[in-house]
């Protein structure tokens, strides 16, 4: 069926920063690369900076722009609201969109507190609207393959998970303050990077029952802006580490740091089973490394390369080894959301699951502060 003979689905996007651009690209790519159950229309783009909103709307192909996000939500032609603003704004924007009966695609972390996350989840459930949260790394076809291998028992019984998500964009003590440094924004490495890893651990191995953790602010002040003499006090975590106890019996470690020099997008894990080990690193997102015991002197890790056999890959490229990138993962996330709106969603992170990620992050914060094991169900 031709796209324009399908029912229109109007998209409203809030924010034109790093993720605003990634969402715009993903919506474009979704409609050019996949057969979707709706005719996606890029209706409105909002940003607090009116001139930038207008300029981006023009170049990204949105019909109109707003400086006031509430106008975008009130627009009857907008059916799906995508939120790519700083974390503190997720709650008011998502709640307003839910109240207006719109579907919501919100960037991670869902909220700045577990209380907010719970309110958002309840409101979405009561309103019956479709929700998704931007835990895009799970949409990598290689992560789908990893999940399949784990569930098929190809690694035997899972006994361990070692995960780390580090980058180095705050590694320099002179890297300036930003909203990501504010507690009010649930700032810090745990919320910014660690939330992705917690979502991934849950996606692959299920519930985590208990955590024990330690967190540290390495640079207690930073320049207000790059090169400025004005210093701002910082109290959020630059790095957080934790021990994890999974409900399936596996034991694990978790690390998140935005100061670890040399790493740019190192969302990585090694999963150990009684019959093998599986390893992944987002900096090499088209590969899995698999070890299964072989003859002595001849065994070793096998490198599995992404190809059209993995669902999602073939839509972008018919040949193996040509490699997908970050923006393709975002596109696959959007496609799953649009399928869900058409009644065929499968594995996206909705507000209920994102709330569980918040609960886990909150348990880690409590454990670090009180220097003890915390049972996640007590939080
Ligand atoms: P950013 O600072 O680059 O962009 C934020 C945008 O929000 C800017 O365009 C800003 O003008 C706009 N904005 C701020 N206040 C506004 C208001 N009141 N009304 C309308 N627009 C407003 O930030 P970013 O890096 O794009 O991060 C945004 C969100 O995306 C955060 O929640 C972050 O955690 C998340 N994020 C997710 C990923 C991922 O891989 N999923 C990666 C980076 C960021």
């Amino acid at each position: 069926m031709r796209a324009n003979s399908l029912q229109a689905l109007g998209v409203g996007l809030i924010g034109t920063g790093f993720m605003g651009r990634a969402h715009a690209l993903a919506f474009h790519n979704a409609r050019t690369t996949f057969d979707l159950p709706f005719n996606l229309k890029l209706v409105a783009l909002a940003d607090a900076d009116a001139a930038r909103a207008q300029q981006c709307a023009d170049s990204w192909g949105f019909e109109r722009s707003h400086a006031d996000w509430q106008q975008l939500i009130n627009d009857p032609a907008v059916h799906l609201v995508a939120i790519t603003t700083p974390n503190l704004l997720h709650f008011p924007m998502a709640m307003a969109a839910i109240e207006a009966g719109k579907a919501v695609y919100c960037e991670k972390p869902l909220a700045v507190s577990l209380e907010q996350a719970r309110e958002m989840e309840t409101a979405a459930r009561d309103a019956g609207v479709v929700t998704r949260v931007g835990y895009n790394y799970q949409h990598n076809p290689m992560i789908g393959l990893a999940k399949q291998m784990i569930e098929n028992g190809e690694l035997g019984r899972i006994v361990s998970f070692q995960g780390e998500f580090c980058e180095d964009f705050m590694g320099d003590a002179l890297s300036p303050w930003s909203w990501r440094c504010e507690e009010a924004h649930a700032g810090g490495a745990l919320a910014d990077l660690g939330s992705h890893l917690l979502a991934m651990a849950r996606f692959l191995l299920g519930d985590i029952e208990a955590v024990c953790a330690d967190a540290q602010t390495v640079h207690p002040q930073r320049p207000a802006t790059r090169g400025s003499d004005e210093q701002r006090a910082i109290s959020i975590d630059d790095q957080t580490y934790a021990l994890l106890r999974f409900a399936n019996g596996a034991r694990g470690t978790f690390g998140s740091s935005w100061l670890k020099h040399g790493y740019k997008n190192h969302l990585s894990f090694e999963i150990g089973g009684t019959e093998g080990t599986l390893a992944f690193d987002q900096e090499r997102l088209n590969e899995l490394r698999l070890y299964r015991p072989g003859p002595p002197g001849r065994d070793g890790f096998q490198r599995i390369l992404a190809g059209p056999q993995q669902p999602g890959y073939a839509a972008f490229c018919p040949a193996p080894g040509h490699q997908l990138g970050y923006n393709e993962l975002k596109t696959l996330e959007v496609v799953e959301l649009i399928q869900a709106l058409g009644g065929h969603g499968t594995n996206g992170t909705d507000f209920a699951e994102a709330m569980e990620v918040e609960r886990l992050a909150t348990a880690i914060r409590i454990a670090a502060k009180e220097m003890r094991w915390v049972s996640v169900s007590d939080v």
Side-chain angles (χ1 to χ4, degrees):
M1 196 186 309
R2 288 172 60 82
N4 58 11
S5 67
L6 296 172
Q7 193 187 339
L9 182 85
V11 176
L13 171 60
I14 313 178
T16 63
F18 175 1
M19 285 321 281
R21 177 184 291 274
H23 279 228
L25 257 174
F27 284 115
H28 275 291
N29 288 343
R31 70 181 181 185
T32 53
T33 317
F34 289 83
D35 284 330
L36 299 175
F38 295 100
N39 178 14
L40 271 195
K41 279 187 169 304
L42 304 184
V43 171
L45 182 62
D47 198 283
D49 177 339
R52 182 163 168 81
Q54 181 63 59
Q55 182 202 347
C56 291
D58 291 344
S59 56
W60 298 354
F62 283 79
E63 290 169 14
R64 44 191 170 273
S65 71
H66 302 282
D68 177 358
W69 56 267
Q70 190 69 59
Q71 284 179 358
L72 176 146
I73 287 174
N74 293 343
D75 188 332
V78 168
H79 308 110
L80 164 64
V81 177
I83 301 170
T84 70
T85 49
N87 303 340
L88 190 59
L89 293 166
H90 294 179
F91 178 80
M93 291 174 171
M95 292 298 276
I98 291 167
E99 199 183 335
K102 315 264 161 125
V104 187
Y105 176 28
C106 182
E107 265 312 322
K108 46 57 59 179
L110 178 58
V112 301
S113 69
L114 182 55
E115 291 69 31
Q116 278 191 353
R118 284 193 167 120
E119 244 187 274
M120 292 161 86
E121 191 276 327
T122 304
R125 188 161 27 91
D126 289 350
V129 297
V130 170
T131 57
R132 287 294 185 268
V133 179
Y135 286 114
N136 26 267
Y137 298 112
Q138 295 162 28
H139 295 275
N140 183 344
M142 297 311 275
I143 296 297
L145 177 61
K147 188 171 169 65
Q148 195 187 348
M149 290 168 78
I150 292 164
E151 288 174 357
N152 287 348
E154 291 177 48
L155 303 176
R157 181 167 59 89
I158 303 302
V159 295
S160 67
F161 174 92
Q162 273 74 51
E164 180 178 49
F165 192 175
C166 44
E167 299 192 1
D168 65 3
F169 66 99
M170 297 298 270
D172 183 347
L174 298 180
S175 293
W177 172 95
S178 75
W179 60 261
R180 285 181 163 82
C181 298
E182 289 296 320
E183 247 176 87
H185 276 280
L190 171 58
D192 197 46
L193 303 179
S195 60
H196 275 296
L197 183 59
L198 296 176
M200 181 67 81
R202 283 183 53 81
F203 180 70
L204 292 172
L205 298 188
D207 283 342
I208 293 167
E209 283 182 342
V211 297
C212 175
D214 199 4
Q216 187 186 24
T217 309
V218 174
H219 298 300
Q221 56 179 27
R222 290 184 182 272
T225 54
R226 187 163 292 282
S228 152
D229 289 335
E230 186 199 334
Q231 297 291 315
R232 293 212 175 144
I234 307 281
S235 60
I236 44 72
D237 64 305
D238 287 317
Q239 53 178 357
T240 293
Y241 297 95
L243 295 177
L244 312 174
R245 186 172 285 205
F246 287 84
N248 68 5
R251 303 295 198 263
T253 61
F254 160 94
S256 59
S257 165
W258 58 23
L259 315 154
K260 199 166 171 187
H261 287 293
Y263 290 98
K264 309 301 174 188
N265 194 0
H266 184 54
L267 190 168
S268 61
F269 57 77
E270 294 201 358
I271 293 173
T274 52
E275 292 168 31
T277 299
L278 192 63
F280 172 80
D281 178 353
Q282 174 65 23
E283 290 184 1
R284 302 182 70 93
L285 79 162
N286 289 273
E287 296 175 23
L288 283 177
R289 290 191 314 119
L290 171 68
Y291 176 88
R292 270 189 295 221
R298 288 286 184 276
D299 68 346
F301 272 89
Q302 172 192 2
R303 187 172 68 113
I304 305 173
L305 205 53
Q309 295 82 5
Q310 279 95 45
Y313 181 102
F316 298 100
C317 183
H322 284 54
Q323 316 238 330
L324 304 189
Y326 176 83
N327 290 308
E328 273 90 43
L329 306 192
K330 212 67 200 163
T331 303
L332 289 168
E333 181 170 79
V334 161
V335 170
E336 192 281 332
L337 162 60
I338 305 302
Q339 299 289 3
L341 286 165
H344 305 292
T346 48
N347 60 357
T349 303
D350 60 10
F351 277 17
E353 172 57 18
M355 197 242 329
E356 292 302 330
V357 175
E358 291 310 311
R359 188 210 294 262
L360 193 49
T362 304
I364 289 175
R365 285 192 190 96
I366 294 170
K369 193 167 168 213
E370 300 180 4
M371 298 178 72
R372 65 179 176 92
W373 278 91
V374 171
S375 173
V376 178
S377 62
D378 289 345
V379 173

